[in-house]
Structures are given as structure tokens and as C-alpha cells.
Amino acid sequence: MTSIGGAEMVDWNLAVATATRLVRPGPEVSRDEARAVVAELRRHAKASEEHVRGFTRMGTDDIHDTPVLVVDRPGWVRANVAGFREILKPLLDKMQERRTTSPGGAVLGAVGGKVTGVELGMLLSFLASRVLGQYETFAPATRDLPAGENGGGRLLLVAPNIVHVERELDVQPHDFRLWVCLHEETHRTQFSAVPWLRDHLEGEIQSFLGETDVDPMTVLERIREAAQSLSGGRPEAEEDDGGRSFVELVQTPAQREILGRLTAVMSLLEGHADFVMDGVGPAVVPSVAEIREKFQQRRAKGASRLDTALRKLLGLDAKLRQYRDGERFVRAVHEQVGMDGFNRVWTSPNTLPTKAEIAKPADWIARVHRKAES
């Protein structure tokens, strides 16, 4: 990925190998059952295109530039490693420039990328068993994982995780799989129908990373803390020490401003997807009410004390808040001004809600609609 003190900071190949070796195998299914799940997810992904476009009124001809891939857990790991390498390159180049003056440079060189690769692989193995689906906005094409030819990303559906959760919740498999596809297809539609959104989001992320002024040793230590939590190597007293997440760790004053804007955009995107999956649901997913209730309980409960600690460390608790806050924003705006009125949010970066407006939808309505009508 990059070099510090003559040694790679992270051995990405070893991270993939470690995650693939450690990740849980997934639910037990026969070969025929696995083929049937993959085929059904592909059908649902295709059907979701029409459902989402009709409900959101966000038509686009570019959606087929984004491939839909049904993957297993190791496939999800490989896809995300490729994405990480792409989006983090400017930050890592900056850290490489600091290697000779950084007090942690020599230590990082001694520790080497292989140790960090193993630890990162442990984190990826943890996450790989939890993600149901994912729209990869900045995904580069690889030999095994195609991506959009014209700047589009790719949509991943993680088949074993979907089967695991539908069994855990004891819900109707056909309905649950379509429900998941509706959420992920909404993300695919957002980026396909709003041409400027990808570049805007990438610009904000790169600005955030460009402002990062953090000692490389501190980043390594945060990775090691997370990995030690997984392996039980972290003392129990430290698990509830209020430790900061990766995102909180690297904030400067300028980053806090950028992070506020990013949080608002991500809340909008996640909340919109939740709103759409529930809005389309009653017409095509008969058991949507039961699925939503059980899924919300699962989200809120978390799996264990360890799971809660890791969610905080990795910033996943913030993502859960984004679902909730964003969905409330979209629902409130839709109730006041309808779908066409809500869709003004996609006009330009200036019409995106601020973090404060996510919490107060009436302020966004007043700003965007009053300006457009004056």
C-alpha cells in the first residue's frame, strides 16, 4: 500500500488471506440451495430496479453501468480491500512523506506490514460476516470483480449473510431477500441518477483525508486495539474506556466541518434507502411489517458486549444513527412536500441537507423550497 521506513505499512494480500482464513463459513446450505439463493437474489436485484425507480421517480439510463455481484464472505473481503486501496491512496502517500520525520516510522518499519496485514485481516473477517449488501461507490475493477466502465461502482449482495439473518429472524426468505435488494438498489439508483453525487462525495472524502495530520504509529495502534478486542487480547477494563473510533481519532478542526457534511450526506443516503425499502415494501413484500420490526430489534440490540465495543471503535454505531436520523428526515420532508419536492435534494451539492437540517427537516424545506419559489 505504501512504505514507511523501508517496509510496507500494510500487506494487503496478507490481510485478504487472513480474513479469508478466519471468517466464519456461513450457514449450512447444500450446493443446490446455494445456487437457488444466488439465482433468486439476481432476480430480485433486477426486479428492484423497476420498483425503486417507480417509487422514487429517479429515472436513469446509466444504471446498467453498475454490475450486481452476488458474493460470499471472502468475495466481500476482496472487493473492499480493492476499494480501500483506491480511496486511501492520498492519505497513505502523505503518511509515506512523513516516514523519515515521524517518531513512529522506525517502529512501523520494524513491526512491518505483515503484522498489520494480519490485524487488518482480523477486522475484515469480523465485518465480512455482518454486511448484507453494499454499493461500492469507488470500486476499481479487478480480474474477479468487475465495476462500472463509466465511473460506476458495483453492487454487492453477500448471500451467506442474507441467509444467516433471515434464519435468525425467522422471516419469509423470499420476502427478506427482496427487501434487502430494495435497499441496496436504492443506493445504486442514487448514484446512477445523480451524476454529480459520486464526484462530490469523493471530493469531500479526499478533503477529509487531506487534512489528516496523525502519527502513523497512532493509526497502527488503533488497528491493533480493534484486532485485540476480537482475539480477547485487550484487558476487560479497557473495553468500556470511551475509546475513540477511527474517524474521531483523526479529526482536526477543518475535518470536523467536512465530517459534518459527510455525516449529513450519508444520513440522507441511508435514510432514503430505508424509506424506499419500506415504501415499496407493502406492494411487493407481503411480510414487510414483520421484517422491519424484527430487523430493527436486531439492529438496536447488537450481538454482545464485544460487538458493541467493536461497533464503537470502528464507527459502526454512527452508521446506525445515520439510518435512523436520515429516515426521519426523508419521511418528514416527503410528508410535507411529496416525492417531487423531496427530490429537489438531488439538484446540486447546495441542496443537500446540512447536519443540522437532518435533525430539523423543516429548516431544509424552508431553505430549498423558499429559495426555489422566490
Side-chain angles (χ1 to χ4, degrees):
M1 181 167 66
T2 190
S3 297
I4 296 182
E8 281 191 330
M9 183 178 176
V10 176
D11 184 331
W12 283 111
N13 291 333
L14 185 57
V16 170
T18 301
T20 301
R21 185 177 70 253
L22 295 179
V23 72
R24 297 173 184 175
E28 217 173 288
V29 294
S30 69
R31 187 179 298 273
D32 288 343
E33 287 175 320
R35 287 173 178 161
V37 170
V38 171
E40 184 172 24
L41 286 172
R42 287 175 176 157
R43 289 196 304 272
H44 284 332
K46 179 66 177 175
S48 294
E49 292 180 20
E50 183 177 348
H51 296 317
V52 170
R53 292 174 67 173
F55 182 79
T56 63
R57 303 179 190 173
M58 297 173 68
T60 173
D61 294 327
D62 295 330
I63 199 164
H64 297 292
D65 182 46
T66 308
V68 177
L69 308 178
V70 181
V71 298
D72 57 10
R73 291 170 176 176
W76 179 88
V77 169
R78 290 192 297 272
N80 276 264
V81 164
F84 290 158
R85 294 182 72 168
E86 184 80 7
I87 199 68
L88 292 177
K89 187 177 185 303
L91 172 63
L92 299 169
D93 287 345
K94 182 177 180 179
M95 292 173 70
Q96 182 179 15
E97 291 173 4
R98 293 187 56 185
R99 72 188 185 276
T100 56
T101 58
S102 169
V107 178
L108 276 171
V111 172
K114 293 192 179 302
V115 173
T116 313
V118 168
E119 291 167 341
L120 186 59
M122 293 172 67
L123 295 182
L124 290 169
S125 71
F126 170 81
L127 295 171
S129 63
R130 284 157 172 76
V131 176
L132 301 182
Q134 176 182 354
Y135 180 81
E136 284 199 292
T137 314
F138 310 109
T142 67
R143 182 179 61 184
D144 301 323
L145 296 161
E149 296 179 1
N150 300 315
R154 56 181 167 236
L155 193 155
L156 306 178
L157 297 169
V158 190
N161 296 349
I162 293 172
V163 172
H164 170 77
V165 174
E166 71 191 27
R167 290 180 179 179
E168 179 186 321
L169 298 182
D170 191 24
V171 293
Q172 213 285 331
H174 171 88
D175 287 2
F176 184 75
R177 294 167 193 175
L178 177 55
W179 190 69
V180 171
C181 288
L182 289 170
H183 182 102
E184 302 308 329
E185 181 60 36
T186 302
H187 288 317
R188 186 172 177 233
T189 297
Q190 289 163 347
F191 285 93
S192 299
V194 185
W196 53 264
L197 184 58
R198 181 188 184 276
D199 289 341
H200 172 72
L201 192 58
E202 182 176 19
E204 292 281 59
I205 292 172
Q206 293 305 337
S207 295
F208 180 86
L209 295 177
E211 289 289 337
T212 298
D213 186 20
V214 63
D215 173 46
M217 191 60 189
T218 307
V219 176
L220 175 60
E221 182 60 28
R222 187 55 65 184
I223 293 173
R224 297 187 71 181
E225 284 181 15
Q228 288 166 5
S229 292
L230 279 176
S231 63
R234 211 174 160 211
E236 183 176 335
E238 296 182 8
E239 290 185 2
D240 292 320
D241 63 357
R244 294 171 295 172
S245 71
F246 281 107
V247 171
E248 293 169 321
L249 179 71
V250 296
Q251 284 187 58
T252 64
Q255 281 181 309
R256 281 193 288 272
E257 293 185 17
I258 300 168
L259 186 61
R261 296 195 298 268
L262 277 170
T263 298
V265 174
M266 297 312 297
S267 295
L268 170 69
L269 298 179
E270 296 293 358
H272 184 232
D274 266 12
F275 176 76
V276 171
M277 71 196 296
D278 286 345
V280 174
V284 297
V285 182
S287 60
V288 64
E290 177 192 1
I291 291 173
R292 164 56 73 190
E293 181 181 0
K294 290 183 175 180
F295 195 75
Q296 289 288 64
Q297 291 173 354
R298 183 180 185 271
R299 268 184 184 171
K301 182 175 62 175
S304 64
R305 185 181 180 190
L306 172 62
D307 188 69
T308 300
L310 278 166
R311 274 172 29 181
K312 176 175 177 54
L313 184 63
L314 299 172
L316 300 181
D317 53 346
K319 187 174 179 65
L320 295 178
R321 289 195 298 271
Q322 288 169 4
Y323 285 110
R324 183 186 65 241
D325 298 344
E327 197 273 341
R328 279 202 298 252
F329 170 84
V330 176
R331 186 172 301 280
V333 171
H334 182 264
E335 288 175 354
Q336 291 295 313
V337 296
M339 187 62 75
D340 290 336
F342 166 78
N343 279 341
R344 288 189 186 178
V345 78
W346 311 116
T347 304
S348 75
N350 293 329
T351 57
L352 291 172
T354 64
K355 188 177 180 181
E357 288 171 341
I358 288 288
K360 296 183 178 180
D363 290 355
W364 179 86
I365 294 172
R367 176 173 66 87
V368 172
H369 284 261
R370 183 183 301 140
K371 183 177 179 180
E373 292 162 4
S374 61

